[in-house]
Amino acid sequence: MKQNNVKPADGKLGIMVVGCGAVSTTFMTGVLMARKGLTKPVGSMTQYDKIRVGKGADKKYLHYKDIVPLADLNDIVFGTWDVYPQNAYQAAMYAEVLKEKDINPVRKELEQIVPMKAAFDKNYAKRLDGDNVKDCKTRWEMVEALRQDIREFKEKNGCSRIVVAWAASTEIYVPVDMEIHGTLAALEAAMKADDRQHIAPSMCYAYAALTEGAPFIMGAPNTTVDIPAMWELAEKTQMPIAGKDFKTGQTLVKSGFAPIIGTRCLGLNGWFSTNILGNRDGLVLDEPANFHTKEVSKLSTLETILKPEEQPDLYGHGNDEDTQYYHKVRINYYPPRNDNKEGWDNIDIFGWMGYPMQIKINFLCRDSILAAPLLLDLCLLSDLASRAGRYGIQRFLSFFLKAPMHDYTKGEEAVNNLYQQYTMLKNAIREMGGYEADEEID
């Protein structure tokens, strides 16, 4: 291994997940099973992917752990918060993502993961009805209670480091209001004033994590860390932040397939995406205010890959305003499917002399099976970034996220092209490993 300036991954890594539902229990069960050699962590880049380092005669393809000091799966300790009091074993059984035979070998470990009381506001997720909730009078009290949870968890489990990740439901949409979200001072004042309209519970988790020296990952499309006040806090605490929304099914396909249309210089008239989903995520998204949060993150992907201003002949028509192709996204709650989500895309393209063609993509995926390895990668890589002294927005993690964070106040655009995102990821790993970042993002 080359010389790098990344601190070693000594001691235990506490991964504290907000939400003990389908995604987090699938994630925790899989890691615990993999540790016993009873399953393989398929889908995890940190466990399987190899990156080229060096060129010519010095060229090698190495696993991430052979380039940078990643935390070992055996050193992970799990904690969680949830509005429902069931332990992780009960929650995994209830979620019905995994078969009982794949949960039982680690039943004892899962039963010991008991959710702490959640910082929760029913107005942000009207369809959830749990009673394992903190009795906090104000948003600031939420922050203080969560900070206490993190400190106690760290001490009780003898962890040297903590990462906090949100794998809970999508909150109602909180538009960015620069008067409240523009500076850290204004955000703190709003928390202390108990401004429930502008301060979502998820913001309290993020604030608590960062102030306790833990990287924070936003796995839902919530506005949480996508505001200048949180960027300021991340700079101040020198902690990494990543978000938002795990890129698992349909958007993963979109970010990988749209570049085919763009690279081949084909035209696009419209892209219609619809989903059916039956788990608790689907239930929450059945509420229009919560769906709007998701819709904003899903719609942003295509527009940064196929740009009408760069190729007006190909992408500059379709909508009523005649400025761009038509892009529509729908999510439908359909209980019989449970966690087995179906994403269906109809893509209307055109080719030589304007002749129309169609592409249909039908992705019958398992939401939590795709999200679990992604959550592992985000946690391990955020911990790595922290030890490497990287703080603020972690753009190299865009590969794993549906609506990657970017500084929109300076006109920066998110990178949504999957292959460009992968280049960013590889270059960051190379740099942290003491190698040259030698791939261009075209």
Side-chain angles (χ1 to χ4, degrees):
M1 189 187 281
K2 270 205 158 188
Q3 194 54 42
N4 59 52
N5 297 317
V6 184
K7 292 176 185 159
D10 292 335
K12 289 183 185 171
L13 172 65
I15 295 180
M16 302 180 74
V17 188
V18 187
C20 189
V23 170
S24 36
T25 55
T26 305
F27 160 58
M28 294 188 284
T29 305
V31 171
L32 294 170
M33 288 286 283
R35 284 203 315 215
K36 289 189 166 182
L38 297 173
T39 193
K40 303 274 189 210
V42 175
S44 167
M45 311 268 296
T46 55
Q47 307 305 304
Y48 277 105
D49 191 28
K50 289 182 175 180
I51 295 176
R52 174 189 51 73
V53 290
K55 285 183 171 176
D58 298 328
K59 182 167 77 171
K60 287 182 292 191
Y61 288 87
L62 300 173
H63 286 292
Y64 292 18
K65 67 178 170 50
D66 297 322
I67 304 171
V68 287
L70 280 184
D72 191 274
L73 296 190
N74 293 307
D75 294 332
I76 294 172
V77 186
F78 294 113
T80 183
W81 292 272
D82 201 276
V83 297
Y84 299 104
Q86 285 80 8
N87 65 45
Y89 173 75
Q90 293 167 313
M93 293 293 286
Y94 176 79
E96 292 186 338
V97 175
L98 302 171
K99 293 174 181 165
E100 194 171 349
K101 72 176 178 63
D102 295 321
I103 304 172
N104 277 338
V106 291
R107 177 174 179 165
K108 272 203 188 88
E109 293 96 318
L110 289 169
E111 283 176 338
Q112 285 162 9
I113 303 167
V114 180
M116 295 169 278
K117 288 187 174 180
F120 182 67
D121 178 344
K122 197 160 170 55
N123 292 323
Y124 277 81
K126 289 189 172 67
R127 303 277 176 114
L128 296 184
D129 211 9
D131 55 5
N132 194 44
V133 175
K134 293 185 189 305
D135 182 22
C136 296
K137 303 285 182 286
T138 66
R139 290 295 196 250
W140 192 249
E141 273 188 34
M142 276 187 182
V143 166
E144 293 293 352
L146 291 167
R147 289 186 66 175
Q148 187 65 28
D149 287 345
I150 295 168
R151 284 195 293 267
E152 285 175 5
F153 179 85
K154 190 174 181 181
E155 191 179 345
K156 181 182 156 201
N157 293 285
C159 297
S160 62
R161 307 173 316 286
I162 300 286
V163 171
V164 177
W166 178 283
S169 298
T170 299
E171 294 173 326
I172 59 171
Y173 188 57
V174 180
V176 177
D177 183 330
M178 283 311 212
E179 283 187 19
I180 309 288
H181 303 132
T183 66
L184 182 55
L187 186 79
E188 289 169 340
M191 285 175 164
K192 286 169 181 168
D194 198 30
D195 178 348
R196 298 182 182 200
Q197 185 190 342
H198 296 100
I199 307 294
S202 60
M203 292 178 184
C204 299
Y205 282 97
Y207 187 99
L210 295 172
T211 42
E212 287 302 320
F216 183 82
I217 297 154
M218 177 36 70
N222 308 344
T223 314
T224 320
V225 280
D226 221 2
I227 52 174
M230 284 294 182
W231 309 341
E232 195 183 323
L233 180 60
E235 297 278 331
K236 181 182 165 187
T237 57
Q238 300 212 327
M239 281 294 121
I241 47 175
K244 56 192 187 214
D245 205 4
F246 300 141
K247 182 163 62 179
T248 50
Q250 191 171 54
T251 309
L252 177 67
V253 169
K254 197 171 279 186
S255 70
F257 199 87
I260 293 177
I261 296 170
T263 308
R264 187 62 181 73
C265 298
L266 293 166
L268 179 67
N269 282 322
W271 193 313
F272 176 75
S273 300
T274 189
N275 299 260
I276 52 176
L277 175 65
N279 61 14
R280 206 177 280 157
D281 191 26
L283 175 68
V284 169
L285 290 171
D286 207 31
E287 189 72 40
N290 298 75
F291 170 68
H292 183 56
T293 311
K294 179 70 97 173
E295 183 181 35
V296 170
S297 95
K298 272 179 161 281
L299 282 171
S300 63
T301 304
L302 208 52
E303 280 72 357
T304 55
I305 301 174
L306 304 176
K307 301 177 186 175
E309 65 274 14
E310 289 184 9
Q311 292 282 15
D313 286 358
L314 306 179
Y315 315 119
H317 46 80
N319 278 352
D320 299 341
E321 300 85 26
D322 202 39
T323 53
Q324 186 181 303
Y325 46 82
Y326 200 86
H327 186 198
K328 200 169 203 65
V329 175
R330 285 282 168 267
I331 298 176
N332 302 289
Y333 178 50
Y334 182 60
R337 276 299 160 87
N338 197 22
D339 200 64
N340 295 350
K341 185 167 73 171
E342 181 165 357
W344 185 79
D345 289 85
N346 172 75
I347 311 160
D348 282 287
I349 63 170
F350 61 90
W352 188 248
M353 296 168 67
Y355 276 74
M357 296 174 277
Q358 289 183 10
I359 300 164
K360 316 276 189 192
I361 301 172
N362 189 9
F363 190 12
L364 297 136
C365 61
R366 294 172 181 260
D367 203 39
S368 301
I369 295 297
L370 290 170
L374 201 145
L375 182 50
L376 173 64
D377 290 343
L378 281 165
C379 288
L380 293 184
L381 294 172
S382 293
D383 170 54
L384 170 71
S386 175
R387 287 181 284 110
R390 290 181 172 231
Y391 52 87
I393 298 171
Q394 298 302 303
R395 290 169 179 81
F396 84 99
L397 297 177
S398 299
F399 182 89
F400 304 101
L401 299 156
K402 199 170 283 166
M405 289 168 63
H406 55 288
D407 189 348
Y408 49 80
T409 63
K410 293 182 180 155
E412 183 194 351
E413 218 176 44
V415 173
N416 274 304
N417 181 312
L418 190 72
Y419 309 102
Q420 293 175 348
Q421 291 175 334
Y422 184 42
T423 299
M424 288 159 66
L425 172 65
K426 289 187 286 187
N427 276 344
I429 301 284
R430 289 180 183 120
E431 282 179 340
M432 286 187 270
Y435 293 90
E436 187 189 342
D438 62 12
E439 280 189 74
E440 289 286 325
I441 300 173
D442 290 327

